[in-house]
Amino acid sequence: MQPVIGITPDYDSSISRYKIHQDYISAISSAGALPILLFPHAEIPPFLDGIVFSGGGDIDPLLFQEEPLAQSGEISPLRDEYEISLCREAVDKNIPILGICRGMQVINIALGGTIYQDISVQTGSKLKHSQQAPREYGTHSILIENNSLLSTLLGKEKVTVNSFHHQAVALLGDGLRVSAKSLDGLIEAIEHTQNLFVLGVQWHPEAMGTKEQKKLFSAFLTAAEKFKETGGNNGKIARNS
């Protein structure tokens, strides 16, 4: 039986419509799993083996105890509430998690961290984090931390990634460590130090589709298979923090 991976879709409140980019479906299917969509207010299916928190719009700053800046974008309260609750439950149950772009920020906020509402205003970064280039094309470099899960998976100290965000992780949530940073010092990847597999990346590996980026999905699916076999009971690990 293939592992079953739930993906959280984006939600357009103006037309009450859910949407998901085909790249997510293709990446999960190509890695050897069965993708399904997870909608707000639904319980975690008992047959679920992993969760992908997908990209999308901004997250309500009130959820990390901040007032919204003028540069803060459109939010989806329905999606925010569901995904943060879902992430906390998944971490508690040791369900493998892959957070992509906004999904990485959801992981951090769910575990008590914060994000920058707008990079240019709050950090002064001059690096272009919202690229004007094809979705699959990498436009800036990241430096990968030694002894991290990401370092083990990619086997490199520096890689090029695509970039579509104006927000970023600020204060780390509980149990998380930094896996990679961009050259301006912004956090580009995070991971859990104890759970079976919780990895958040600020870029979109599902869109790049390179052999290098496919390793992230392969590792995620390996963790999902292990969870399927053990129910998450034997998945706690101890990584350097």
Side-chain angles (χ1 to χ4, degrees):
M1 293 288 291
Q2 293 176 296
V4 178
I5 303 300
I7 307 174
T8 60
D10 199 3
Y11 180 69
D12 187 337
S13 57
S14 65
I15 56 175
S16 301
R17 180 177 295 173
Y18 293 100
K19 55 184 179 180
I20 189 73
H21 200 288
Q22 174 62 33
D23 288 344
Y24 292 102
I25 308 301
S26 296
I28 293 299
S29 298
S30 297
L34 176 65
I36 65 170
L37 296 183
L38 300 175
F39 297 105
H41 306 311
E43 296 182 355
I44 296 180
F47 53 80
L48 198 67
D49 304 308
I51 298 175
V52 173
F53 289 91
S54 67
D58 290 2
I59 301 172
D60 186 355
L62 294 178
L63 294 173
F64 47 95
Q65 292 73 56
E66 291 185 10
E67 294 296 317
L69 299 180
Q71 292 77 15
S72 190
E74 183 176 351
I75 62 173
S76 172
L78 179 68
R79 188 179 184 193
D80 289 345
E81 179 183 356
Y82 173 65
E83 291 191 359
I84 289 174
S85 174
L86 177 66
C87 184
R88 288 171 178 160
E89 184 177 356
V91 170
D92 286 344
K93 292 181 177 179
N94 204 17
I95 297 173
I97 295 172
L98 177 60
I100 295 174
C101 199
R102 168 197 156 95
M104 173 174 122
Q105 298 164 15
V106 166
I107 293 171
N108 194 56
I109 293 170
L111 296 181
T114 65
I115 63 173
Y116 294 117
Q117 295 183 47
D118 186 82
I119 294 167
S120 60
V121 170
Q122 293 181 282
T123 72
S125 172
K126 303 300 181 184
L127 190 67
K128 190 175 184 66
H129 284 278
S130 187
Q131 70 185 50
Q132 293 172 294
R135 181 175 169 84
E136 70 276 7
Y137 188 76
T139 59
H140 76 74
S141 302
I142 61 169
L143 301 176
I144 299 174
E145 298 289 320
N146 292 330
N147 301 316
S148 65
L149 171 61
L150 196 60
S151 175
T152 300
L153 296 181
L154 300 183
K156 295 184 176 181
E157 297 180 353
K158 185 177 182 180
V159 298
T160 302
V161 298
N162 54 6
S163 192
F164 302 93
H165 64 105
H166 79 108
Q167 300 190 321
V169 166
L171 178 68
L172 278 180
D174 295 336
L176 297 174
R177 64 161 289 183
V178 175
S179 302
K181 291 183 178 181
S182 50
L183 272 61
D184 57 359
L186 284 179
I187 296 172
E188 288 280 339
I190 57 176
E191 63 190 58
H192 204 282
T193 59
Q194 292 187 318
N195 273 40
L196 174 60
F197 189 102
V198 177
L199 177 66
V201 296
Q202 192 59 67
W203 63 94
H204 284 266
E206 81 288 354
M208 297 189 76
T210 62
K211 181 178 180 181
E212 181 178 75
Q213 296 298 326
K214 287 179 179 179
K215 291 179 181 179
L216 304 185
F217 288 95
S218 295
F220 173 54
L221 265 294
T222 297
E225 289 171 347
K226 183 174 182 179
F227 178 84
K228 187 178 186 69
E229 294 171 359
T230 67
N233 296 324
N234 301 314
K236 293 291 182 178
I237 59 174
R239 293 197 184 97
N240 296 328
S241 56

